[in-house]
């Protein structure tokens, strides 16, 4: 019997100069543990003068998690945070009661052209913490725990798993890891969480001998032990956690009740969110 219980295919979204593959939410499933949104950004080549440009926009009720494989992004938010993120770093922004932020290609890369490749997750907050004060964390790559094994490097981006603990401060039990096979190797999937999934970023790999399909999130059977294997270079993201229950999602807002969504819409439309220092633009509220 296959350890894979469900496979979720991506839909393509155009975001200005970039096309992204959206894996979550999917028609068949909203979330994996608390992870309820996943965009695979790139890989893409940006010509000189081009760049990622996501003007200030609002969030409530979630945390955004940015992790890059190539390139760089400049994060600015309404708390006054200004942070360039590079491959292997973690930007973890908790929106809570409300935050605005922008994401752009840094000027020094825009001038010469660059590559961009990475992932962005949204993580739901527990109901009793969805209105927590907003905050921002940045953890550079060297601060994250890693295991260098035979044919692989495992980096624990967030949470607790495999006896490792990430420095990222969390609001609910979860794990998120980057498993990079550098050659033939194998590695077990943690069984510590009720909901777990695998996403094959690049290369080819198997789970318990079954090939993984690129461009899909593969859900795993609860509590089932499983081993990931590769015959050569490959990269997989392994993630999951304790489910927090269904959430309402509208544009960039996540909440447990429609009233919170409605209030956030009104706040953004009326300029009630704080400004992002250093920015003069803002994304308008969608028409629907």
């Amino acid at each position: 019997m296959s350890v894979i219980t469900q496979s979720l295919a991506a839909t393509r979204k155009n975001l200005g100069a970039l096309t992204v593959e959206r894996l979550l939410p999917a028609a068949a499933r909203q979330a994996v543990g608390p992870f309820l949104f996943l965009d695979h950004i790139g890989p893409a080549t940006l010509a000189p003068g081009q760049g990622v440009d996501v003007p200030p926009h609002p969030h409530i009720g979630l945390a955004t998690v940015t992790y890059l494989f190539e390139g760089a992004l400049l994060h600015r938010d309404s708390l006054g945070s200004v942070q360039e993120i590079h491959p292997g770093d973690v930007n973890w922004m908790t929106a809570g009661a409300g935050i605005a932020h922008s994401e752009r290609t840094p000027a020094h890369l825009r001038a010469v052209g660059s590559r961009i490749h990475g992932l962005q997750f949204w993580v739901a907050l527990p109901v009793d913490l969805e209105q927590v004060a907003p905050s921002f964390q940045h953890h550079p790559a060297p601060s994250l725990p890693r295991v260098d094994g035979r044919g692989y490097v495992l980096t624990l981006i967030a949470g607790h798993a495999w006896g490792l603990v990430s420095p990222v401060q969390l609001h609910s039990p979860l794990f998120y890891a980057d498993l990079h096979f550098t050659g033939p190797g194998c590695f077990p999937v943690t069984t510590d969480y009720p909901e777990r999934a695998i996403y094959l970023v690049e290369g080819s790999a198997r789970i318990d001998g079954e090939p993984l399909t690129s461009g899909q999130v593969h859900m795993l059977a609860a509590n089932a032990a499983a081993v990931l294997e590769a015959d050569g270079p490959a990269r997989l993201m392994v993630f999951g956690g304790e489910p927090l229950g269904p959430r309402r999602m509208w544009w960039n807002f996540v909440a447990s009740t429609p009233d919170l969504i409605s209030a956030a819409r009104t706040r953004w439309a009326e300029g009630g969110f704080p400004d992002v220092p250093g920015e003069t633009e803002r994304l308008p509220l969608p028409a629907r």
Side-chain angles (χ1 to χ4, degrees), residues 155-205:
T155 302
L156 185 65
I157 299 167
H160 301 228
W162 300 287
L164 305 174
V165 180
S166 166
V168 176
Q169 296 178 9
L170 304 176
H171 293 91
S172 68
L174 61 83
F175 78 104
Y176 175 25
D178 175 2
L179 178 58
H180 184 199
F181 284 106
T182 55
C186 62
F187 193 80
V189 180
T190 180
T191 57
D192 293 341
Y193 297 87
E195 294 188 356
R196 303 163 300 156
I198 308 291
Y199 179 59
L200 179 63
V201 176
E202 55 192 5
S204 60

Side-chain angles (χ1 to χ4, degrees), residues 234-249:
R235 176 164 250 141
L236 306 97
M237 311 310 286
V238 192
F239 62 96
E242 297 279 350
L244 297 178
R247 289 294 187 273
R248 297 175 182 270
M249 300 178 67

